[in-house]
């Protein structure tokens, strides 16, 4: 978070706490809105990234719509959005028992495979626009765990497959009104998006001419209008050559830097010569730390500092550990540790393993006030355990 100095304001918080800064979210959306006005790009926010409802109302007031990955997210999108705003959906797993409801809730449905198009196309109600997710087979990501364009990918119809189909079964394309691709992850180089569009255009030029809309996915980070210049060029290219409607749906780029998780040290001891500081948070509040074995950035770290601690999570999992960090001053029970850039893929994936409570949710508002929005309770845990909130156990 750059706008507020969280270290100064967290002393009174109940930790663990998830704090989102409305001002940073609005700043990022403002950068995108400039582009929307200049090039008629439509902006969507993907609910999979972050879905705190109060913040979503704020985001909804600016974007053209939301994108969903499931029936529940589509329902959430419709609950929050006002009339006239758009809902897109893509998932590798549309289901028989959900497709009808989904097609009432969503305006744009991107099927992930040709078999799903064949199976569900005729169940989609008329007002919904059908498209496909494509695998551009042009990869910029080295780590295959994040790479939708990897070999044997489960995400999207490959350009090779589409080219074959184009040659042999043009009738099939009558069903396809648009395409979605999402091929990058945390990239600061939006030229890669422009390159991707040129690559599709070169591989299958007839295709862009045939469709009405393109959803460019997300996967890019940005801090200024200048960073988005290649996106503007990409949108101008698509609009001037093919006159298609263009959507962009960045998640982490909008909320990643806008949130942090604040925690407190609850115990310190030595283990085989290293000091362990146990925190009241856990990797389960930021699951990608464990999934991808990343070392999260903390606000208090002082590179070269003489006090070293292994920061550990509050659960019994041996690997619930954040990493070794250096500090200028020794930690003590009660010291605060703030994990930075925690807006994306944290609370949406968080769970209560060991019964450890989820972080309380605070908003740092446009009036520069910290407001407690939600404190999870035992009842939330009980419901997850199959219990009834009102039953006396
Ligand atoms: C289809 C699609 N769109 C948008 C996003 C958002 O990506 P990011 O948060 O990296 O911008 C994702 C993330 O997985 C996605 O799968």
């Amino acid at each position: 978070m750059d706008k507020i100095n969280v270290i100064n304001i967290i002393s009174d918080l109940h930790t663990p706490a998830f704090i989102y800064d409305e001002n940073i979210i609005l700043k990022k959306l403002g950068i995108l809105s400039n582009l929307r006005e200049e090039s008629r790009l439509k902006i969507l926010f993907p609910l999979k990234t972050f879905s705190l409802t109060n913040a979503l109302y704020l985001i909804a007031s600016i974007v053209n719509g939301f994108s969903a990955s499931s029936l529940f997210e589509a329902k959430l999108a419709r609950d929050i959005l006002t009339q006239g705003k758009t809902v897109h959906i893509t998932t590798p797993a549309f289901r028989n028992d959900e497709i009808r409801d989904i097609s009432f809730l969503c305006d744009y449905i991107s099927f992930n495979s040709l078999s799903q198009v064949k199976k569900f196309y005729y169940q989609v109600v008329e007002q919904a626009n059908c498209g496909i997710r494509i695998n551009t087979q042009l990869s910029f990501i080295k780590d295959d765990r994040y790479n939708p364009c990897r070999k044997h990918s489960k995400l999207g119809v490959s350009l090779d497959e589409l080219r074959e189909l184009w040659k042999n079964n043009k009738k099939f394309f009558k069903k396809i009104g648009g395409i979605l691709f999402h091929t990058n992850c945390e990239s600061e180089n939006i030229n890669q998006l422009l390159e991707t569009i040129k690559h599709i255009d070169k591989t299958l030029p007839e295709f862009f001419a045939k469709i009405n809309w393109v959803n460019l996915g997300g996967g890019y980070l940005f801090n200024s209008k200048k960073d988005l210049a290649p996106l503007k060029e990409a949108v101008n290219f698509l609009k001037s050559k093919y006159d298609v409607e263009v959507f962009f749906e960045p998640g982490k780029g909008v909320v990643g830097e806008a949130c942090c998780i604040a925690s407190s040290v609850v115990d310190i001891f030595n283990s085989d010569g290293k000091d362990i500081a146990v925190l009241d948070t856990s990797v389960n509040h930021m699951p990608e730390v464990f999934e991808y074995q990343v070392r999260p950035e903390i606000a208090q770290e002082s590179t070269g500092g003489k006090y070293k601690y292994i920061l550990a999570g509050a659960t019994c999992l041996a690997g619930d550990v954040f990493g070794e960090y250096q500090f200028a001053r020794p930690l003590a029970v009660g010291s605060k540790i703030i994990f930075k850039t925690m807006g994306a893929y944290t609370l949406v994936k968080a769970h209560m393993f060991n019964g450890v409570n989820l972080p309380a949710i605070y908003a740092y508002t446009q009036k520069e006030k910290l407001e407690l929005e939600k404190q999870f309770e035992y009842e939330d845990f009980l419901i997850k355990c199959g219990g009834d909130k009102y039953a006396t156990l």
Side-chain angles (χ1 to χ4, degrees):
M1 291 176 131
D2 53 38
K3 174 116 183 164
I4 50 170
N5 185 351
V6 265
I7 299 175
N8 294 337
I9 60 165
I10 61 160
S11 49
D12 302 332
L13 293 189
H14 182 88
T15 63
F18 180 91
I19 309 160
Y20 72 88
D21 185 337
E22 293 182 350
N23 304 283
I24 298 179
I25 294 177
L26 289 172
K27 187 178 119 193
K28 297 283 186 166
L29 290 172
I31 297 170
L32 290 166
S33 299
N34 278 329
L35 194 70
R36 180 174 57 187
E37 259 115 63
E38 285 167 18
S39 50
R40 291 180 297 133
L41 170 69
K42 293 192 172 158
I43 308 294
L44 305 172
F45 181 73
L47 300 185
K48 73 186 78 173
T49 317
F50 167 94
S51 56
L52 295 177
T53 50
N54 283 352
L56 290 181
Y57 282 112
L58 183 74
I59 295 172
S61 67
I62 296 176
V63 295
N64 296 89
F66 288 155
S67 59
S69 313
S70 62
L71 175 61
F72 284 1
E73 280 192 358
K75 285 187 176 180
L76 178 62
R78 279 290 168 229
D79 276 345
I80 304 269
L81 291 172
T82 49
Q83 252 193 344
K85 300 251 175 175
T86 300
V87 180
H88 282 231
I89 190 166
T90 188
T91 162
F94 288 105
R95 302 157 48 118
N96 251 331
D97 56 346
E98 293 182 352
I99 191 71
R100 194 88 187 143
D101 288 347
I102 282 176
S103 74
F104 278 109
L105 293 163
C106 301
D107 309 293
Y108 296 81
I109 300 178
S110 296
F111 291 106
N112 187 61
S113 67
L114 297 179
S115 49
Q116 288 241 305
V117 179
K118 285 175 199 151
K119 187 161 179 202
F120 294 125
Y121 179 77
Y122 292 102
Q123 291 185 51
V124 170
V125 292
E126 239 169 57
Q127 64 264 30
N129 210 312
C130 290
I132 38 172
R133 177 172 183 160
I134 64 168
N135 168 4
T136 57
Q137 297 170 292
L138 178 65
S139 189
F140 300 99
I141 303 171
K142 296 225 162 52
D143 184 338
D144 256 355
R145 290 172 301 177
Y146 304 85
N147 184 5
C149 305
R150 67 201 254 177
K151 193 109 185 121
H152 312 299
S153 174
K154 66 169 202 182
L155 296 168
V157 183
S158 73
L159 280 181
D160 284 346
E161 203 177 351
L162 278 180
R163 205 167 31 197
E164 273 309 294
L165 199 66
W166 186 263
K167 268 196 244 147
N168 303 322
N169 183 4
K170 289 213 177 41
K171 250 171 68 190
F172 182 85
F173 288 85
K174 286 216 169 93
K175 299 185 174 80
I176 305 301
I179 56 167
L180 171 144
F181 56 85
H182 167 80
T183 59
N184 224 327
C185 179
E186 296 180 15
S187 172
E188 290 173 350
N189 181 1
I190 304 192
N191 274 307
Q192 292 169 341
L193 185 59
L194 183 59
E195 213 181 304
T196 303
I197 289 165
K198 297 276 170 80
H199 170 70
I200 303 169
D201 191 41
K202 203 162 136 215
T203 316
L204 202 61
E206 307 89 337
F207 198 50
F208 275 141
K210 154 81 192 64
I211 58 180
N212 305 314
W213 56 272
V214 179
N215 183 329
L216 309 173
Y220 293 90
L221 305 179
F222 53 89
N223 272 310
S224 66
K225 198 176 155 186
K226 194 164 149 246
D227 292 345
L228 294 179
L231 173 61
K232 188 174 174 184
E233 196 180 333
V235 179
N236 289 346
F237 170 80
L238 285 170
K239 287 211 169 270
S240 59
K241 195 163 172 195
Y242 297 109
D243 192 28
V244 285
E245 204 180 6
V246 187
F247 299 90
F248 183 48
E249 47 181 35
K252 193 164 193 168
V254 175
V255 294
E257 290 176 9
C259 315
C260 66
I261 290 178
S263 65
S264 304
V265 174
V266 293
D267 191 19
I268 297 179
F269 56 85
N270 194 278
S271 174
D272 297 326
K274 292 206 178 205
D275 285 329
I276 312 286
V278 179
L279 306 179
D280 57 5
T281 185
S282 153
V283 292
N284 303 319
H285 297 161
M286 37 193 129
E288 290 194 343
V289 168
F290 189 74
E291 278 170 42
Y292 299 120
Q293 294 293 298
V294 290
R295 182 179 175 279
E297 230 189 298
I298 61 166
Q300 291 83 354
E301 185 163 30
S302 167
T303 314
K306 96 178 193 231
Y307 302 95
K308 280 192 198 161
Y309 296 86
I310 292 176
L311 298 182
T315 74
C316 67
L317 174 71
D320 183 2
V321 166
F322 298 100
E324 192 169 16
Y325 292 82
Q326 298 174 326
F327 298 85
R329 282 190 287 278
L331 295 180
V333 168
S335 296
K336 299 288 187 268
I337 300 291
I338 294 159
F339 293 88
K340 292 162 75 176
T341 57
M342 282 293 155
Y345 308 107
T346 47
L347 280 198
V348 284
K349 289 186 168 188
H351 57 82
M352 288 189 180
F353 178 55
N354 273 202
V356 172
N357 202 0
L358 294 171
I361 294 161
Y362 290 84
Y364 186 68
T365 65
Q366 293 169 73
K367 293 188 176 144
E368 314 216 333
K369 289 219 157 54
L370 201 59
E371 284 176 7
L372 176 64
E373 288 194 341
K374 177 145 179 104
Q375 175 95 58
F376 294 93
E377 304 292 346
Y378 168 66
E379 281 72 19
D380 297 298
F381 179 59
L382 180 62
I383 287 166
K384 271 212 95 185
C385 295
D388 180 342
K389 185 171 174 178
Y390 302 104
T392 8
L393 293 182

